[in-house]
Amino acid sequence: MPEPTKTLAAKLAEACNEVGGVEKKGRNIQQSYDYVKAADVAMAIRHKLFERGVVIIPDEQEPTWREYQTMKGSIMRECTLCTVYNITDGTETLKFTAYGVAADSGDKSIYKAKTSALKYFLRGLGLIPDEKEDRKSVV
């Protein structure tokens, strides 16, 4: 008897269950703190999704911009980007909205906003902790 087809939610749950914690490998030198890199979050979850035929298609909305002057007098350009993430297995589709906000004195704020939206969306989707060990076996 063939195995019943799994729902998209079941595939997501399986994939996310296989992802452990993601260690803070990034370091902000200027402000002296460690952080989870977006690339590490993506690497932790993407193949778990792909193995189940699940893909995430971003639909970026029109960004909003704001300029402001820093205390030192330079101009910063802040970008707020709303992205709708369509998660699909080709049969079902789930949609989630995420926001990224970033500032830069040059032209990089939109790319930083894209990265932050994706990173925090994926972390939230998989409930991915920012520690190497998941500790799911600890009672």
Side-chain angles (χ1 to χ4, degrees):
M1 188 173 203
E3 192 174 307
T5 305
K6 293 181 182 171
T7 64
L8 178 55
K11 292 174 186 179
L12 281 172
E14 268 186 1
C16 292
N17 189 48
E18 286 189 24
V19 177
V22 176
E23 188 176 4
K24 294 180 180 182
K25 294 180 183 176
R27 178 77 181 156
N28 182 311
I29 303 293
Q30 292 87 4
Q31 297 173 334
S32 189
Y33 67 87
D34 297 331
Y35 63 93
V36 172
K37 298 186 327 185
D40 292 339
V41 175
M43 283 192 289
I45 197 167
R46 67 191 211 108
H47 289 291
K48 308 299 182 194
L49 295 170
F50 296 162
E51 290 167 1
R52 292 162 177 82
V54 176
V55 296
I56 300 174
I57 302 165
D59 179 12
E60 295 172 353
Q61 309 301 298
E62 189 66 30
T64 58
W65 301 93
R66 176 177 81 96
E67 286 189 356
Y68 61 92
Q69 189 171 9
T70 67
M71 291 170 50
K72 293 184 178 182
S74 63
I75 300 297
M76 295 293 283
R77 191 158 193 227
E78 181 183 86
C79 176
T80 300
L81 180 66
C82 173
T83 303
V84 176
Y85 290 101
N86 299 282
I87 303 175
T88 186
D89 62 1
T91 302
E92 295 178 74
T93 301
L94 297 171
K95 293 178 183 270
F96 299 92
T97 302
Y99 292 87
V101 179
D104 190 81
S105 59
D107 62 349
K108 305 282 187 287
S109 60
I110 191 165
Y111 305 109
K112 292 177 179 181
K114 288 180 185 200
T115 299
S116 69
L118 178 62
K119 172 182 162 179
Y120 289 102
F121 165 71
L122 290 175
R123 284 194 60 202
L125 176 70
L127 298 174
I128 300 171
D130 62 359
E131 296 181 9
K132 185 175 181 176
E133 296 300 319
D134 186 338
R135 297 190 179 118
K136 68 180 178 183
S137 60
V138 177
V139 180

